[in-house]
DNA sequence: TATTATTATATCAATGCTCGATATAATGAA
DNA sequence: TTCATTATATCGAGCATTGATATAATAATA
């Protein structure tokens, strides 16, 4: 418990963040464990990259509870056989639930880390669309 | 593991969020376990409220590692004796580390929950100050 | 006076999650 | 032949949450 070490906090944050990231990647198309990790490395600039020790158990659980469907892929080139995961309708619903949970929490995260006024996502989205309309 | 239940995600998010909230409350002044919980209920509109089963162990660990100092308070009115916690310099450093960890992660949270462009905190702060200058 | 609500701290079992280490395996390139 | 890359999988240690349970003092109410 070394609270002045950023890694401690990163790890703590990732507990809540890894699973929605996996669902996010799968919502963009079928993928396999190793590929999901590569994708995560890319879209988070290496900021939120779980280990294999967490990614594979997550995929196993998602499969077991019907959030994804798995299919063996005998690829023509490259190494090992792959296990490709596809998001089910239930899985998409789970992703949307997660998005809502995060959306409702983020204003309070701002309140905890910024001294500014409370910022709501709706507000941010309005500003963004104003910007793109210019 | 009921991923279509918002509570599941809330709970997951809180794992990473509770500890920085406690430090945030203490950064505003000394407080005791029960009081911190009341404060959390208030500042997060009931959105992020841990149980006593997590708040007291956290306070114990913070004390053990020197992030807070504890002092018994024989209050004049009211019920039980209180244990009042004060943030140490080390504790303030921990809070600042946590803030930085969250700041660097938030853009990627947006990326996972919004279809909009990547939003950076700096950007948001600029927009806010533009607003207040109007 | 007796009961209830509020204030307040604390522990425990069950459950779930991360990390890092370790193992296995196939293939292309040097 | 050796090394790097691609790929999946498991395990223990450590840590965190929830919900239940216990204890205790005092103010207010009936």
């Amino acid at each position: 418990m070394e609270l002045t070490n950023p890694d401690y906090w990163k790890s703590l944050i990732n507990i809540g963040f890894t699973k929605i990231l996996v669902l996010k990647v799968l919502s963009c198309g079928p993928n396999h464990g190793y590929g999901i990790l590569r994708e995560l490395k890319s879209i988070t600039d290496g900021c939120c990259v779980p280990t294999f020790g967490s990614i594979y158990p997550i995929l196993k659980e998602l499969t077991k509870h019907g959030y994804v469907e798995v299919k063996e892929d005998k690829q023509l080139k490259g190494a090992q056989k792959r296990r490709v995961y596809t998001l089910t309708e239930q899985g998409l619903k789970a992703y949307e639930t997660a998005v809502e949970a995060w959306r409702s929490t983020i204003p309070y995260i701002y309140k905890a880390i910024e001294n500014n006024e409370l910022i709501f996502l709706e507000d941010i989205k309005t500003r963004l669309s104003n910007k793109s309309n210019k």
Side-chain angles (χ1 to χ4, degrees), chain A:
Chain A
M1 203 213 205
E2 180 56 78
L3 304 199
T4 50
N5 180 359
D7 289 342
Y8 171 87
W9 294 97
K10 284 280 181 176
S11 176
L12 214 53
I13 294 169
N14 278 349
I15 294 178
F17 196 33
T18 298
K19 209 170 269 171
I20 188 176
L21 275 178
V22 170
L23 293 177
K24 164 73 178 179
V25 168
L26 289 177
S27 79
C28 298
N31 214 329
H32 56 106
Y34 199 85
I36 292 169
L37 213 63
R38 247 188 338 208
E39 200 64 28
L40 254 36
K41 211 173 284 179
S42 158
I43 65 174
T44 71
D45 301 331
C47 175
C48 313
V49 188
T51 62
F52 292 116
S54 35
I55 216 83
Y56 286 113
I58 285 176
L59 257 11
K60 207 178 187 177
E61 282 298 294
L62 289 177
T63 308
K64 185 179 157 193
H65 292 94
Y67 300 107
V68 297
E69 267 162 11
V70 64
K71 196 173 60 177
E72 297 270 332
D73 180 28
K74 310 155 195 90
Q75 46 171 161
L76 304 167
K77 294 221 161 195
Q80 276 273 73
K81 85 278 174 192
R82 285 172 173 175
R83 225 160 256 196
V84 175
Y85 299 88
T86 307
L87 210 59
T88 64
E89 207 164 315
Q90 186 76 353
L92 191 62
K93 217 161 118 188
Y95 173 56
E96 280 159 2
T97 308
V99 165
E100 265 317 295
W102 271 104
R103 274 195 195 158
S104 61
T105 307
I106 280 192
Y108 305 108
I109 298 180
Y110 273 114
K111 211 174 177 180
I113 68 173
E114 296 294 325
N115 291 318
N116 291 321
E117 65 191 281
L118 194 55
I119 305 168
F120 285 97
L121 262 187
E122 279 314 310
D123 196 27
I124 291 164
K125 282 158 74 182
T126 307
R127 286 158 201 271
L128 271 179
S129 69
N130 286 347
K131 186 188 171 192
S132 57
N133 287 344
K134 263 189 283 186

